[in-house]
Amino acid sequence: MPHSWFRYVGVCLIAIVLSACSNPERDKVRHVERGDRYATEHRDEFALVEYASAIKIDPTYGEAHRKLAETYERMGNLRDAIPEFVRAADALPNDRDAQLKATQMLLLSGRFDDAKARAATLLDKNQNDTDALLLHADAMVALRDPAGALSEVQEALRISPDSSRAFVALGAVRMQGGEAKAAEEAFRRAIALEPESVDARLALANFLWSAQRVQEAEAVIKDALAINPQHLLANRMLGVLCLATGRPKDAEQPLKVVAEVSKAPAAQLQLADYYAGVGRTDDAEKLLKPLASNQATLVDAESRLAALDYAAGRKDEAHKRLDGILARV
């Protein structure tokens, strides 16, 4: 057999081996599978790396975007979760759940026009989609279109007359229209339909608080926490309410729950501010020093530490911290 033939076969074999070693479709799936294992083991920081690696191979890989977003959400990092949920929905245009989640996240981030448009797209596919109708209504409420929102809520109630979520939306529309009695009736109807709904109770609590019925609002928030003691929004509401009513001691526990469960830097900074405000500077510093070693929270943490130094008479240390911040900005 000619020597050139051996060389040709050798080149083909090398090409086959290289192809087997690097298969983008297979590699991206493996990254997601490894990410899933890490997520199951509650090792979300490693799951993030695997899902991001899959997206690096294929930026249009919708399932990887979704799982990356869900991981960020579990870690309390909504800033990074929201755009990933939107990218997942863009990559999975026929996935209703992805579209609903993206719409919810757009509402949460204040992108009301975008949320309205995405909900409208879902309604173009199914005009009886009650979830889409209610998200469309939520966007309209935020955009100060109570008449349009009411129309959508009424349609949702026609389709699902016993929907607790629809009555929460109805309460929000009535509340925006200044119809206090009708709003309260709607919120209480939502709770009656779904007694274990924390969201319905918090919607009622928000209404009561806005109506200056603070003691009633607090009782409803505590009812919600009896259902789910670690609910982030319920704990945050209770902490802020206690601070607003001059009871800082009662605010500590709910603020601690938010910081510990969410692990979100914003929640930890809020707890540090609480400790500083009640004179517990040692506890504030314990929270702030780890945050000062993180590039993302360095400026916020160092500026607070500088304020604590200055208040304690350590002016040189305070100025040194501020100089360090300015050098990094």
Side-chain angles (χ1 to χ4, degrees):
M1 188 176 291
H3 179 71
S4 59
W5 173 254
F6 282 110
R7 183 161 57 182
Y8 172 75
V9 172
V11 169
C12 290
L13 287 173
I14 291 171
I16 292 170
V17 170
L18 289 175
S19 175
C21 291
S22 179
N23 183 320
E25 287 299 312
R26 182 199 60 200
D27 291 346
K28 73 179 188 182
V29 171
R30 286 185 175 177
H31 279 301
V32 167
E33 289 173 347
R34 283 196 292 265
D36 291 346
R37 286 198 295 272
Y38 284 130
T40 301
E41 296 167 0
H42 305 291
R43 300 168 71 188
D44 284 332
E45 65 279 12
F46 294 103
L48 287 177
V49 174
E50 294 296 342
Y51 296 139
S53 297
I55 292 167
K56 188 174 181 181
I57 294 170
D58 181 1
T60 66
Y61 194 3
E63 197 57 36
H65 281 293
R66 181 185 355 225
K67 292 185 175 185
L68 181 60
E70 290 170 346
T71 307
Y72 278 133
E73 186 179 34
R74 281 197 305 275
M75 297 173 75
N77 183 357
L78 288 180
R79 184 185 65 180
D80 290 324
I82 290 170
E84 286 301 326
F85 276 120
V86 173
R87 292 183 188 113
D90 289 342
L92 301 166
N94 296 318
D95 188 318
R96 175 178 173 273
D97 289 341
Q99 303 308 314
L100 290 172
K101 186 68 176 183
T103 306
Q104 292 168 351
M105 292 294 105
L106 289 168
L107 285 168
L108 188 62
S109 63
R111 293 170 58 184
F112 305 127
D113 284 314
D114 291 338
K116 180 181 176 183
R118 201 171 285 266
T121 299
L122 282 167
L123 290 171
D124 287 340
K125 295 179 180 179
N126 178 7
Q127 62 182 2
N128 292 324
D129 188 332
T130 56
D131 291 322
L133 280 166
L134 293 174
L135 288 172
H136 204 220
D138 288 340
M140 288 177 165
V141 168
L143 292 167
R144 303 292 176 182
D145 180 7
L150 181 59
S151 175
E152 296 292 67
V153 172
Q154 288 173 333
E155 180 63 14
L157 284 169
R158 184 190 67 76
I159 298 166
S160 301
D162 293 328
S163 167
S164 174
R165 169 76 178 85
F167 276 100
V168 168
L170 179 61
V173 174
R174 297 301 191 195
M175 184 177 169
Q176 188 182 72
E179 302 173 69
K181 184 179 179 181
E184 183 172 355
E185 288 175 354
F187 290 132
R188 293 194 183 278
R189 176 66 173 153
I191 294 170
L193 286 167
E194 193 177 344
E196 296 300 303
S197 172
V198 172
D199 291 341
R201 291 181 186 277
L202 295 184
L204 174 61
N206 180 61
F207 163 78
L208 293 169
W209 194 348
S210 69
Q212 306 301 313
R213 295 160 62 182
V214 179
Q215 288 184 330
E216 292 176 75
E218 183 173 347
V220 174
I221 295 170
K222 287 180 176 177
D223 287 342
L225 285 170
I227 296 169
N228 183 354
Q230 293 191 321
H231 194 280
L232 294 179
L233 180 56
N235 277 286
R236 186 176 292 112
M237 286 179 68
L238 181 58
V240 173
L241 185 148
C242 290
L243 290 173
T245 53
R247 293 175 293 142
K249 191 172 182 180
D250 294 335
E252 180 182 3
Q253 183 57 30
L255 293 178
K256 281 180 68 176
V257 171
V258 174
E260 291 169 1
V261 172
S262 73
K263 296 182 173 55
Q268 293 172 343
L269 289 168
Q270 183 183 35
L271 182 59
D273 288 341
Y274 163 79
Y275 284 136
V278 297
R280 293 168 59 179
T281 55
D282 288 346
D283 290 323
E285 289 178 354
K286 286 178 184 176
L287 282 169
L288 292 170
K289 285 179 179 177
L291 293 171
S293 63
N294 184 332
Q295 190 65 32
T297 53
L298 181 148
V299 172
D300 288 328
E302 281 289 299
S303 61
R304 285 167 168 79
L305 286 168
L308 293 176
D309 284 336
Y310 199 87
R314 300 188 296 269
K315 295 183 180 180
D316 290 341
E317 288 87 341
H319 287 300
K320 185 177 179 180
R321 288 188 189 278
L322 292 174
D323 289 340
I325 293 171
L326 292 172
R328 291 179 173 88
V329 174

